[in-house]
Structures are given as structure tokens and as C-alpha cells.
Amino acid sequence: MSRTRRSEGPLTPVLRAYRQARGRAEDQAWAEEVVLTLVREEVSPQPVLEELRDALPLVRETGEGPAELYGPAPEWAAGRLADRAERGMATVDSTPDARWRDVPVLGSVVACLVSLLMMLVWLLRDGWSVEVTWGLLLLPLLAGTGVVAALATWESVLTRRPVGVAAAAGLGVAAAVVAGLAWLLLGTRDAVLATTSTFSLALLAVGYALLAGLLERVLPQAGPRGAPSDDEAWQRELAGTLRLRLDLSEARVTEIVREARAHAARSGAGLREEFGTPASYAARFGRDRVARARRAAWGWTALVPVVVLLAVDRLVSGGGADLVSWVWVLFAVAVCWSVVAAWRRVRRERGRPQTA
């Protein structure tokens, strides 16, 4: 029983309570739709839990479903978000998603997936046998931890520095990882340890999965983040939250911080006494969805020349359109389609009314 409880998410009990209130599955479905709506807005779990808990007693008392009492789930969730913002209640989390403690854990998980992907590629390209080198064994781990480390660097720097600095830091880590991968692939390819079945890469994936589980158990969990000790720390945390969670431009971040500082100076109170936590003050401002969509679109666009070049190289070096070449071509087409979809989303977001 204790294992079951540990595996449950923080929202599982309240979702189950909605179903149990009247014995109706549609009530739990309504609560789940609320969760999905708020998750899409990147609301942290605690505010979601609070709102669902506050709405549950009326369902129990009246015997009516939440849809009848509160209306459609997306509209109710949007209304609760607006109300929390007006009352200065936090809806976002100032802590980066990718913590340094998670780099080896999530990196090992990604390494497991990369190992399985490598097995499929090797089966298509080389058949039933593979030459094992140290580069082949370590490539999944370097790729996995490198991706997570680049993301952690981006988010960690973004909480303290402008977007350009964070992007440069993240790209620097990514470049180092690419250089390491190139060395593993090219520098160790002649030092063959053994020739074995391609399916042995599945055992490599199992090993990385076990490593991820072990690291999750032995590495200490990060403790709760303390409250800002002074006005300078409060301003830094607010600026980081506005960049990381709301995707606001540096000019807008600077303006918001300056206005908060000026207001506190006029009142003679400290920033925390005047506005509460940085996360609660940040909840007053709307997310810049256009900026987020534009960054994603540029990210997909940057992949196009790389993928197209790799696909063309495969077609030329492969001497024809074999199965692996067609996979690369289809992958290039998928990336190009994603670029088109991303820029369409930018146009849609521009047409949506932006909150203040």
C-alpha cells in the first residue's frame, strides 16, 4: 500500500474524490479537464490542488455535478486564474524545472531511450551485428546528460540573467556536448571491443534504466527554496520568474521590476512586505505567448538546414534511396512541417488578445 501511495501524484487523491462525491465518472473527467487547462498555462501543482479542493465541498453538499455548478472546466479554470491574479496569489513557481540534481537521473533515462533508438538504426543500417566500442557504449549517456545539462544551464542562467546570456550559456554547453559526441564517434571507432548482436543494445538500455533508478534513490532531493532575504534578492527572483515562466522580454521585465521598486519606495515598505512573494506578484502579469511561440518557431527553423544536409548526405553516401535514406527524408519532411506549424501558431497567438 505504501508503494502505491508513493507512486501517486499530488493531484490523484482530489481527482478521485470528485468521482467518489457522487459516484460519477464525468465529475472526475471535469476535474481532469481543469488540470489539463491549468497545466497548459504552466500553473504549478499547488494552486491547481487548492482550486479543486475549494470547489469540491459544494459538489458534495448539493449533489450536483461540477459542470452544472461551475460551468465548463476551461472557462472555470480561466476564471480562477484571473481571480488569483487579482488577489496576488501565486500561480507560477520560481524554481527551474531542470534542476542540477536531475541531470544524471534524467540523463540516464534519455540514455535508455537513445540506446533503443540506436538499436533500431543499427538494425536498419548494419543488420544483425554491431561492432562495440567505448564510444558506442558511452554515447547514449553523454547525449542524455548533455541535453538535460544544456536545459538546466539555460533555466538556471535565465533566472539571473537576460535571455541572450542564458541562450549563449545553453548553446555553449550544447556545443561542448556535440564536440564530445563527435570525438566518441570518430575517435574510438577503430578500437573495437567486440562484435556482437545488435539486440545487445537493448541490454545497454536496461543498464541505463537501472542506473536512472539507482540515482533517483541515492541522490538527495533538493530542499525547499528559501524566501528572498532582501529587496535585491526579491528583485532578482521576480525578474527570473518573469523570464522563465511568463516569457516576457527583458525590456518588460526591467519595467515591471522598476515599477515595483518605485512603488515600494513611495510606501516606505520592503518589497516582500508590500507585494508578498515574487511568484505571487508575477501572477499579476500575463504570459507573452507570442514570444514563446516565436522562440519555438525559430528553434524548429534552425533544425531545418542540419536535417536537410544530413538527409542529402545520406542519399549521396548511401548511393541510392535505401530504407535508412527514406527514414532521413521522412524525418526532414516532418521537421519542415513542424516549422510551418510553429509559424502558424505564432500568427494565431498574435491574433489572440494578450492579458496585461
Side-chain angles (χ1 to χ4, degrees), residues 261-349:
R261 187 170 56 239
H263 185 86
R266 288 193 297 269
S267 67
L271 288 168
R272 183 173 180 82
E273 290 75 20
E274 185 71 16
F275 299 114
T277 66
S280 63
Y281 187 71
R284 304 182 184 189
F285 304 96
R287 178 174 287 106
D288 191 340
R289 294 182 176 86
V290 176
R292 165 161 292 194
R294 188 185 297 115
R295 289 172 192 165
W298 278 117
W300 281 109
T301 303
L303 282 177
V304 171
V306 177
V307 174
V308 170
L309 284 174
L310 289 174
V312 172
D313 176 71
R314 175 62 196 179
L315 287 171
V316 173
S317 63
D322 57 0
L323 181 58
V324 176
S325 299
W326 278 114
V327 170
W328 273 110
V329 170
L330 291 175
F331 182 54
V333 170
V335 170
C336 292
W337 177 257
S338 298
V339 170
V340 174
W343 284 108
R344 284 179 176 173
R345 184 184 175 192
V346 172
R347 288 200 299 271
R348 288 197 303 271
E349 294 295 349

Coordinates of all heavy atoms in Angstrom, one line a residue, residues 261-349:
R261 N 9.8 48.5 -7.5 CA 10.7 49.1 -6.7 C 10.3 50.6 -6.3 O 10.4 51.0 -5.2 CB 12.1 49.1 -7.3 CG 13.2 49.6 -6.4 CD 14.6 49.4 -7.0 NE 14.7 50.0 -8.4 CZ 15.0 49.3 -9.5 NH1 15.1 48.0 -9.4 NH2 15.1 49.9 -10.7
A262 N 9.8 51.3 -7.3 CA 9.4 52.6 -7.1 C 8.2 52.7 -6.2 O 8.1 53.6 -5.3 CB 9.0 53.3 -8.5
H263 N 7.2 51.8 -6.4 CA 6.0 51.7 -5.5 C 6.4 51.5 -4.1 O 5.9 52.1 -3.1 CB 5.1 50.7 -6.0 CG 3.8 50.6 -5.3 ND1 2.7 51.5 -5.6 CD2 3.3 49.9 -4.2 CE1 1.7 51.2 -4.8 NE2 2.1 50.3 -3.9
A264 N 7.3 50.5 -3.9 CA 7.7 50.2 -2.5 C 8.5 51.4 -1.9 O 8.3 51.6 -0.7 CB 8.6 48.9 -2.5
A265 N 9.3 52.1 -2.7 CA 10.0 53.2 -2.2 C 9.0 54.3 -1.7 O 9.2 55.0 -0.7 CB 10.9 53.8 -3.2
R266 N 7.9 54.5 -2.4 CA 6.9 55.5 -2.1 C 6.2 55.2 -0.8 O 5.9 56.0 0.1 CB 5.9 55.7 -3.2 CG 6.5 56.5 -4.4 CD 5.4 56.9 -5.3 NE 4.6 55.8 -5.9 CZ 4.9 55.2 -7.0 NH1 6.0 55.6 -7.7 NH2 4.2 54.2 -7.5
S267 N 6.0 53.9 -0.6 CA 5.2 53.4 0.6 C 6.2 53.3 1.8 O 5.7 53.2 2.9 CB 4.5 52.1 0.3 OG 5.5 51.1 0.1
G268 N 7.5 53.2 1.6 CA 8.4 53.0 2.7 C 8.5 51.6 3.2 O 9.2 51.4 4.2
A269 N 7.9 50.6 2.5 CA 7.9 49.2 2.9 C 8.9 48.4 2.1 O 9.3 48.9 1.0 CB 6.5 48.6 2.8
G270 N 9.3 47.3 2.6 CA 10.1 46.4 1.8 C 9.3 45.7 0.7 O 8.0 45.7 0.8
L271 N 9.9 45.2 -0.3 CA 9.2 44.6 -1.4 C 8.4 43.4 -1.0 O 7.3 43.2 -1.5 CB 10.2 44.3 -2.5 CG 10.8 45.4 -3.3 CD1 12.0 45.0 -4.2 CD2 9.8 46.1 -4.2
R272 N 8.9 42.6 -0.2 CA 8.2 41.4 0.3 C 7.0 41.8 1.1 O 5.9 41.2 1.0 CB 9.1 40.5 1.1 CG 8.4 39.2 1.5 CD 9.4 38.2 2.1 NE 8.7 37.0 2.5 CZ 8.3 36.0 1.7 NH1 8.7 36.0 0.5 NH2 7.7 34.9 2.2
E273 N 7.2 42.8 2.0 CA 6.0 43.3 2.8 C 5.0 43.9 2.0 O 3.8 43.8 2.2 CB 6.5 44.3 3.9 CG 7.4 43.7 5.0 CD 8.8 43.3 4.5 OE1 9.2 43.9 3.5 OE2 9.4 42.5 5.2
E274 N 5.4 44.6 0.9 CA 4.4 45.3 0.0 C 3.7 44.4 -0.9 O 2.5 44.5 -1.2 CB 5.2 46.4 -0.7 CG 4.3 47.3 -1.6 CD 3.4 48.2 -0.7 OE1 3.7 48.4 0.5 OE2 2.5 48.8 -1.3
F275 N 4.4 43.4 -1.5 CA 3.8 42.6 -2.6 C 3.8 41.1 -2.3 O 3.2 40.4 -3.2 CB 4.7 42.8 -3.9 CG 4.7 44.3 -4.3 CD1 5.9 45.0 -4.3 CD2 3.6 44.9 -4.8 CE1 6.0 46.3 -4.8 CE2 3.6 46.2 -5.2 CZ 4.8 46.9 -5.2
G276 N 4.3 40.6 -1.2 CA 4.3 39.2 -1.0 C 5.5 38.5 -1.7 O 6.5 39.2 -1.9
T277 N 5.3 37.3 -2.1 CA 6.4 36.6 -2.7 C 6.6 37.1 -4.2 O 5.6 37.5 -4.8 CB 6.2 35.1 -2.7 OG1 5.0 34.8 -3.5 CG2 5.9 34.6 -1.3
P278 N 7.8 36.9 -4.8 CA 7.9 37.2 -6.2 C 7.0 36.4 -7.1 O 6.5 37.0 -8.1 CB 9.4 36.9 -6.4 CG 10.1 37.0 -5.1 CD 9.1 36.6 -4.1
A279 N 6.7 35.2 -6.7 CA 5.8 34.4 -7.6 C 4.4 34.9 -7.5 O 3.7 34.9 -8.6 CB 5.9 32.9 -7.1
S280 N 4.0 35.3 -6.4 CA 2.6 35.9 -6.3 C 2.5 37.2 -7.0 O 1.5 37.5 -7.7 CB 2.2 36.1 -4.8 OG 3.0 37.0 -4.2
Y281 N 3.5 38.0 -7.0 CA 3.5 39.3 -7.7 C 3.6 39.0 -9.2 O 2.9 39.7 -10.0 CB 4.7 40.2 -7.3 CG 4.6 41.6 -7.9 CD1 3.6 42.5 -7.5 CD2 5.5 42.0 -8.9 CE1 3.6 43.8 -8.0 CE2 5.4 43.2 -9.4 CZ 4.5 44.1 -9.0 OH 4.4 45.4 -9.5
A282 N 4.3 38.0 -9.6 CA 4.5 37.7 -11.1 C 3.1 37.2 -11.6 O 2.9 37.4 -12.8 CB 5.5 36.6 -11.3
A283 N 2.3 36.6 -10.8 CA 1.0 36.1 -11.2 C 0.0 37.2 -11.7 O -0.9 37.0 -12.4 CB 0.3 35.4 -10.1
R284 N 0.4 38.5 -11.4 CA -0.5 39.6 -11.9 C -0.3 39.9 -13.4 O -1.1 40.6 -14.0 CB -0.1 40.9 -11.1 CG -0.2 40.7 -9.6 CD 0.1 42.0 -8.9 NE 0.1 41.9 -7.4 CZ 0.2 42.9 -6.6 NH1 0.3 44.2 -7.1 NH2 0.2 42.7 -5.3
F285 N 0.7 39.3 -14.0 CA 1.0 39.7 -15.3 C 0.8 38.5 -16.3 O 1.0 37.3 -15.9 CB 2.5 40.1 -15.5 CG 2.8 41.3 -14.5 CD1 3.4 41.0 -13.3 CD2 2.5 42.6 -14.9 CE1 3.7 42.1 -12.4 CE2 2.8 43.6 -14.0 CZ 3.4 43.4 -12.8
G286 N 0.4 38.8 -17.5 CA 0.1 37.7 -18.4 C 1.3 37.2 -19.1 O 2.3 37.9 -19.3
R287 N 1.2 36.0 -19.6 CA 2.3 35.4 -20.3 C 2.4 35.9 -21.7 O 1.4 36.2 -22.4 CB 2.1 33.8 -20.4 CG 3.2 33.1 -21.1 CD 3.0 31.6 -21.0 NE 3.4 31.1 -19.7 CZ 2.5 30.8 -18.7 NH1 1.2 30.8 -19.0 NH2 3.0 30.4 -17.6
D288 N 3.6 36.1 -22.2 CA 3.8 36.6 -23.6 C 3.9 35.4 -24.5 O 4.9 34.8 -24.8 CB 5.2 37.4 -23.7 CG 5.3 38.1 -25.0 OD1 4.6 37.7 -26.0 OD2 6.1 39.0 -25.1
R289 N 2.7 35.0 -24.9 CA 2.6 33.7 -25.7 C 3.2 33.9 -27.1 O 3.7 33.0 -27.7 CB 1.1 33.3 -25.8 CG 0.5 32.9 -24.5 CD -1.0 32.5 -24.7 NE -1.6 32.0 -23.5 CZ -2.1 32.7 -22.6 NH1 -2.2 34.1 -22.8 NH2 -2.6 32.2 -21.5
V290 N 3.1 35.1 -27.6 CA 3.7 35.4 -28.9 C 5.3 35.1 -28.9 O 5.8 34.5 -29.8 CB 3.4 36.8 -29.4 CG1 4.1 37.1 -30.7 CG2 1.9 37.0 -29.6
A291 N 5.9 35.6 -27.8 CA 7.3 35.4 -27.7 C 7.7 34.0 -27.6 O 8.6 33.5 -28.2 CB 7.9 36.2 -26.5
R292 N 6.9 33.2 -26.8 CA 7.2 31.8 -26.6 C 7.0 31.1 -27.9 O 7.8 30.2 -28.3 CB 6.3 31.2 -25.5 CG 6.2 29.7 -25.6 CD 5.7 29.1 -24.3 NE 6.6 29.4 -23.2 CZ 6.5 28.8 -22.0 NH1 5.6 27.9 -21.8 NH2 7.4 29.0 -21.1
A293 N 5.9 31.4 -28.6 CA 5.7 30.7 -29.9 C 6.8 31.0 -30.9 O 7.2 30.2 -31.7 CB 4.3 31.1 -30.4
R294 N 7.2 32.3 -30.9 CA 8.3 32.7 -31.8 C 9.6 32.0 -31.6 O 10.3 31.6 -32.5 CB 8.4 34.2 -31.8 CG 9.4 34.8 -32.9 CD 9.6 36.2 -32.7 NE 8.4 37.0 -32.9 CZ 7.9 37.7 -31.9 NH1 8.4 37.7 -30.7 NH2 6.7 38.4 -32.1
R295 N 9.9 31.9 -30.3 CA 11.2 31.2 -29.9 C 11.1 29.7 -30.4 O 12.1 29.1 -30.9 CB 11.4 31.2 -28.4 CG 11.8 32.6 -27.9 CD 11.8 32.7 -26.4 NE 11.9 34.0 -26.0 CZ 11.7 34.4 -24.7 NH1 11.4 33.5 -23.8 NH2 11.8 35.7 -24.4
A296 N 10.0 29.1 -30.2 CA 9.8 27.7 -30.6 C 9.9 27.6 -32.1 O 10.6 26.6 -32.7 CB 8.5 27.1 -30.1
A297 N 9.3 28.5 -32.8 CA 9.4 28.5 -34.3 C 10.8 28.7 -34.8 O 11.3 28.0 -35.7 CB 8.5 29.6 -34.9
W298 N 11.6 29.6 -34.2 CA 13.0 29.8 -34.6 C 13.8 28.5 -34.3 O 14.7 28.1 -35.0 CB 13.6 31.0 -33.9 CG 13.3 32.3 -34.6 CD1 12.5 33.3 -34.1 CD2 13.6 32.6 -35.9 NE1 12.4 34.3 -35.0 CE2 13.1 33.9 -36.2 CE3 14.4 32.0 -36.9 CZ2 13.3 34.6 -37.4 CZ3 14.5 32.7 -38.1 CH2 14.0 33.9 -38.4
G299 N 13.5 27.8 -33.2 CA 14.2 26.6 -32.8 C 14.0 25.5 -33.9 O 14.9 24.9 -34.3
W300 N 12.7 25.4 -34.3 CA 12.4 24.4 -35.4 C 13.1 24.8 -36.7 O 13.6 24.0 -37.4 CB 10.9 24.2 -35.6 CG 10.3 23.4 -34.6 CD1 9.4 23.7 -33.6 CD2 10.4 21.9 -34.5 NE1 9.0 22.7 -32.8 CE2 9.6 21.5 -33.4 CE3 11.1 21.0 -35.2 CZ2 9.5 20.2 -33.0 CZ3 11.0 19.6 -34.8 CH2 10.2 19.3 -33.7
T301 N 13.1 26.1 -37.0 CA 13.7 26.6 -38.2 C 15.2 26.3 -38.2 O 15.7 26.0 -39.3 CB 13.4 28.1 -38.3 OG1 12.0 28.4 -38.3 CG2 14.0 28.6 -39.7
A302 N 15.8 26.5 -37.1 CA 17.3 26.2 -37.0 C 17.6 24.8 -37.3 O 18.7 24.5 -37.7 CB 17.8 26.6 -35.6
L303 N 16.7 23.8 -37.1 CA 16.9 22.4 -37.3 C 16.9 22.1 -38.8 O 17.5 21.1 -39.2 CB 15.9 21.6 -36.6 CG 16.1 21.4 -35.1 CD1 14.9 20.5 -34.6 CD2 17.4 20.7 -34.8
V304 N 16.2 22.9 -39.6 CA 16.0 22.5 -41.0 C 17.3 22.3 -41.8 O 17.5 21.2 -42.4 CB 15.1 23.6 -41.7 CG1 15.0 23.3 -43.2 CG2 13.7 23.6 -41.1
P305 N 18.2 23.3 -41.8 CA 19.4 23.0 -42.6 C 20.2 21.8 -42.1 O 20.8 21.1 -43.0 CB 20.2 24.4 -42.5 CG 19.7 25.0 -41.2 CD 18.2 24.6 -41.2
V306 N 20.3 21.6 -40.8 CA 21.0 20.5 -40.3 C 20.4 19.2 -40.8 O 21.1 18.3 -41.3 CB 21.0 20.5 -38.8 CG1 21.8 19.3 -38.2 CG2 21.7 21.8 -38.3
V307 N 19.1 19.0 -40.6 CA 18.4 17.8 -41.0 C 18.5 17.6 -42.5 O 18.7 16.5 -43.0 CB 16.9 17.8 -40.5 CG1 16.2 16.6 -41.0 CG2 16.9 17.8 -39.0
V308 N 18.2 18.6 -43.3 CA 18.3 18.5 -44.7 C 19.7 18.1 -45.2 O 19.8 17.2 -46.1 CB 17.8 19.8 -45.4 CG1 18.1 19.8 -46.9 CG2 16.4 20.1 -45.1
L309 N 20.7 18.7 -44.6 CA 22.1 18.3 -45.0 C 22.4 16.9 -44.7 O 23.0 16.2 -45.5 CB 23.1 19.2 -44.3 CG 23.2 20.7 -44.9 CD1 24.1 21.5 -44.0 CD2 23.7 20.6 -46.3
L310 N 21.9 16.4 -43.5 CA 22.1 15.0 -43.1 C 21.4 14.1 -44.1 O 21.9 13.0 -44.4 CB 21.7 14.8 -41.7 CG 22.6 15.4 -40.6 CD1 22.0 15.3 -39.2 CD2 24.0 14.8 -40.6
A311 N 20.2 14.5 -44.5 CA 19.4 13.6 -45.4 C 20.1 13.6 -46.7 O 20.2 12.5 -47.3 CB 18.0 14.2 -45.5
V312 N 20.5 14.7 -47.3 CA 21.2 14.7 -48.6 C 22.5 13.9 -48.5 O 22.8 13.2 -49.4 CB 21.5 16.2 -49.0 CG1 22.3 16.2 -50.2 CG2 20.2 16.9 -49.2
D313 N 23.2 14.1 -47.4 CA 24.5 13.3 -47.2 C 24.2 11.8 -47.3 O 25.0 11.1 -47.8 CB 25.2 13.8 -45.9 CG 26.4 12.9 -45.7 OD1 27.4 13.1 -46.4 OD2 26.4 12.1 -44.8
R314 N 23.1 11.4 -46.6 CA 22.8 10.0 -46.6 C 22.5 9.5 -48.0 O 22.9 8.4 -48.4 CB 21.6 9.8 -45.6 CG 21.2 8.3 -45.6 CD 22.2 7.4 -45.2 NE 21.9 6.0 -45.5 CZ 22.7 4.9 -45.3 NH1 23.8 5.1 -44.7 NH2 22.3 3.7 -45.6
L315 N 21.7 10.3 -48.7 CA 21.3 9.9 -50.1 C 22.5 9.8 -51.0 O 22.6 8.9 -51.8 CB 20.3 10.9 -50.7 CG 18.9 10.9 -50.1 CD1 18.1 12.1 -50.6 CD2 18.2 9.6 -50.5
V316 N 23.5 10.7 -50.8 CA 24.7 10.7 -51.7 C 25.6 9.6 -51.3 O 26.1 8.8 -52.1 CB 25.4 12.1 -51.6 CG1 26.7 12.0 -52.3 CG2 24.5 13.2 -52.2
S317 N 25.9 9.5 -49.9 CA 26.9 8.5 -49.5 C 26.3 7.1 -49.6 O 27.0 6.1 -49.7 CB 27.3 8.8 -48.0 OG 26.2 8.7 -47.2
G318 N 25.0 7.0 -49.4 CA 24.4 5.7 -49.5 C 24.2 5.1 -50.9 O 23.9 3.9 -51.1
G319 N 24.4 6.0 -51.9 CA 24.4 5.5 -53.3 C 23.0 5.3 -53.8 O 22.8 4.7 -54.8
G320 N 22.0 5.7 -53.1 CA 20.6 5.4 -53.5 C 19.7 5.6 -52.4 O 20.0 5.9 -51.2
A321 N 18.4 5.4 -52.7 CA 17.3 5.6 -51.7 C 17.0 4.3 -51.0 O 16.0 3.6 -51.3 CB 16.1 6.2 -52.4
D322 N 17.9 3.9 -50.1 CA 17.6 2.7 -49.3 C 16.7 3.1 -48.1 O 16.2 4.2 -48.0 CB 18.9 2.1 -48.8 CG 19.7 3.1 -47.9 OD1 19.3 4.2 -47.7 OD2 20.8 2.7 -47.4
L323 N 16.4 2.1 -47.3 CA 15.4 2.3 -46.2 C 15.9 3.4 -45.2 O 15.1 4.3 -44.9 CB 15.2 1.0 -45.5 CG 14.2 1.0 -44.3 CD1 12.8 1.5 -44.8 CD2 14.1 -0.3 -43.6
V324 N 17.2 3.4 -44.8 CA 17.6 4.4 -43.9 C 17.6 5.8 -44.6 O 17.2 6.8 -43.9 CB 19.1 4.1 -43.5 CG1 19.6 5.2 -42.6 CG2 19.2 2.7 -42.8
S325 N 17.9 5.9 -45.8 CA 17.8 7.2 -46.5 C 16.3 7.7 -46.5 O 16.1 8.9 -46.3 CB 18.3 7.0 -48.0 OG 19.6 6.6 -48.0
W326 N 15.4 6.8 -46.7 CA 14.0 7.2 -46.7 C 13.6 7.7 -45.3 O 12.7 8.6 -45.2 CB 13.1 6.1 -47.2 CG 13.0 6.0 -48.7 CD1 13.5 5.0 -49.5 CD2 12.5 7.0 -49.6 NE1 13.2 5.3 -50.8 CE2 12.6 6.5 -50.9 CE3 11.9 8.2 -49.4 CZ2 12.2 7.2 -52.0 CZ3 11.4 8.9 -50.5 CH2 11.6 8.4 -51.8
V327 N 14.1 7.0 -44.3 CA 13.8 7.5 -42.9 C 14.3 8.9 -42.7 O 13.6 9.7 -42.1 CB 14.4 6.5 -41.9 CG1 14.3 7.1 -40.5 CG2 13.8 5.2 -42.0
W328 N 15.5 9.2 -43.2 CA 16.1 10.6 -43.1 C 15.2 11.5 -43.8 O 14.9 12.7 -43.4 CB 17.5 10.6 -43.5 CG 18.5 10.3 -42.5 CD1 19.3 9.1 -42.4 CD2 18.8 11.0 -41.3 NE1 20.0 9.2 -41.3 CE2 19.8 10.3 -40.6 CE3 18.4 12.3 -40.9 CZ2 20.3 10.8 -39.4 CZ3 18.9 12.8 -39.7 CH2 19.9 12.1 -39.0
V329 N 14.8 11.2 -45.0 CA 13.9 12.1 -45.9 C 12.6 12.4 -45.2 O 12.2 13.5 -45.1 CB 13.7 11.5 -47.3 CG1 12.7 12.3 -48.0 CG2 15.0 11.4 -48.0
L330 N 12.0 11.3 -44.6 CA 10.7 11.5 -43.9 C 10.9 12.4 -42.7 O 10.1 13.2 -42.3 CB 10.1 10.1 -43.5 CG 9.6 9.3 -44.7 CD1 9.2 7.9 -44.2 CD2 8.5 10.0 -45.4
F331 N 12.1 12.2 -42.0 CA 12.4 13.0 -40.8 C 12.5 14.5 -41.2 O 12.0 15.4 -40.5 CB 13.6 12.5 -40.1 CG 14.0 13.2 -38.9 CD1 13.1 13.4 -37.8 CD2 15.3 13.8 -38.7 CE1 13.4 14.1 -36.7 CE2 15.6 14.5 -37.6 CZ 14.7 14.6 -36.6
A332 N 13.2 14.7 -42.3 CA 13.4 16.1 -42.8 C 12.0 16.7 -43.2 O 11.8 17.9 -42.9 CB 14.3 16.1 -44.0
V333 N 11.2 15.9 -43.8 CA 9.8 16.4 -44.1 C 9.0 16.8 -42.9 O 8.3 17.8 -42.8 CB 9.1 15.4 -45.0 CG1 7.6 15.8 -45.1 CG2 9.7 15.3 -46.4
A334 N 9.2 15.9 -41.8 CA 8.4 16.1 -40.6 C 8.9 17.4 -39.9 O 8.1 18.2 -39.4 CB 8.6 14.9 -39.6
V335 N 10.3 17.6 -39.9 CA 10.8 18.9 -39.3 C 10.3 20.1 -40.1 O 9.9 21.1 -39.5 CB 12.3 18.8 -39.3 CG1 12.9 20.2 -38.9 CG2 12.8 17.7 -38.4
C336 N 10.3 20.0 -41.4 CA 9.8 21.2 -42.2 C 8.3 21.4 -41.9 O 7.9 22.6 -41.8 CB 10.0 20.9 -43.7 SG 11.7 20.9 -44.2
W337 N 7.6 20.4 -41.8 CA 6.1 20.5 -41.4 C 6.0 21.2 -40.1 O 5.1 22.0 -39.9 CB 5.4 19.2 -41.5 CG 4.0 19.3 -41.1 CD1 3.4 18.9 -39.9 CD2 2.9 19.8 -41.9 NE1 2.1 19.2 -39.9 CE2 1.7 19.8 -41.1 CE3 2.8 20.4 -43.1 CZ2 0.5 20.2 -41.5 CZ3 1.6 20.8 -43.6 CH2 0.4 20.7 -42.8
S338 N 6.8 20.8 -39.1 CA 6.8 21.3 -37.8 C 7.1 22.8 -37.8 O 6.6 23.6 -37.0 CB 7.8 20.6 -36.8 OG 7.4 19.3 -36.7
V339 N 8.0 23.2 -38.7 CA 8.4 24.6 -38.9 C 7.1 25.4 -39.3 O 6.8 26.5 -38.8 CB 9.5 24.8 -39.8 CG1 9.7 26.3 -40.2 CG2 10.8 24.3 -39.3
V340 N 6.5 24.9 -40.3 CA 5.3 25.6 -40.8 C 4.2 25.7 -39.7 O 3.6 26.7 -39.5 CB 4.7 24.8 -42.0 CG1 3.4 25.4 -42.5 CG2 5.7 24.8 -43.2
A341 N 4.0 24.6 -39.0 CA 3.0 24.6 -37.9 C 3.4 25.6 -36.8 O 2.6 26.3 -36.2 CB 2.9 23.2 -37.3
A342 N 4.7 25.7 -36.5 CA 5.2 26.6 -35.5 C 4.9 28.1 -35.9 O 4.5 28.9 -35.0 CB 6.6 26.4 -35.2
W343 N 5.2 28.4 -37.1 CA 5.0 29.8 -37.5 C 3.5 30.1 -37.7 O 3.1 31.2 -37.5 CB 5.7 30.1 -38.8 CG 7.2 30.2 -38.6 CD1 8.2 29.4 -39.0 CD2 7.8 31.3 -38.0 NE1 9.4 29.8 -38.6 CE2 9.2 31.0 -38.0 CE3 7.4 32.5 -37.4 CZ2 10.2 31.9 -37.4 CZ3 8.3 33.4 -36.8 CH2 9.7 33.1 -36.9
R344 N 2.7 29.1 -38.0 CA 1.2 29.3 -37.9 C 0.8 29.6 -36.5 O -0.1 30.5 -36.3 CB 0.5 28.1 -38.5 CG 0.6 27.9 -40.0 CD -0.1 26.6 -40.4 NE -0.2 26.5 -41.9 CZ -0.6 25.4 -42.5 NH1 -1.1 24.4 -41.8 NH2 -0.6 25.4 -43.8
R345 N 1.3 28.9 -35.6 CA 1.0 29.2 -34.2 C 1.3 30.6 -33.8 O 0.6 31.3 -33.0 CB 1.7 28.2 -33.3 CG 1.2 28.4 -31.8 CD 2.0 27.4 -30.9 NE 1.6 27.7 -29.5 CZ 2.3 27.2 -28.5 NH1 3.3 26.4 -28.7 NH2 1.9 27.5 -27.2
V346 N 2.5 31.1 -34.3 CA 2.9 32.5 -34.0 C 1.8 33.4 -34.5 O 1.4 34.4 -33.8 CB 4.2 32.8 -34.6 CG1 4.5 34.3 -34.5 CG2 5.3 32.0 -34.0
R347 N 1.3 33.2 -35.7 CA 0.2 34.1 -36.2 C -1.0 34.0 -35.4 O -1.7 35.0 -35.2 CB -0.1 33.7 -37.7 CG 1.0 34.1 -38.7 CD 0.5 34.1 -40.1 NE 0.0 32.9 -40.5 CZ 0.7 31.9 -41.1 NH1 2.0 32.1 -41.3 NH2 0.2 30.8 -41.4
R348 N -1.4 32.8 -35.0 CA -2.6 32.6 -34.1 C -2.4 33.4 -32.8 O -3.4 34.0 -32.3 CB -2.9 31.1 -33.9 CG -3.4 30.4 -35.1 CD -4.0 29.1 -34.6 NE -3.1 28.2 -33.9 CZ -2.3 27.3 -34.4 NH1 -2.3 27.2 -35.7 NH2 -1.5 26.6 -33.6
E349 N -1.3 33.3 -32.2 CA -1.0 33.9 -30.9 C -1.1 35.4 -31.1 O -1.5 36.1 -30.2 CB 0.3 33.5 -30.3 CG 0.4 32.0 -29.9 CD -0.6 31.7 -28.8 OE1 -1.2 32.6 -28.2 OE2 -0.8 30.5 -28.5

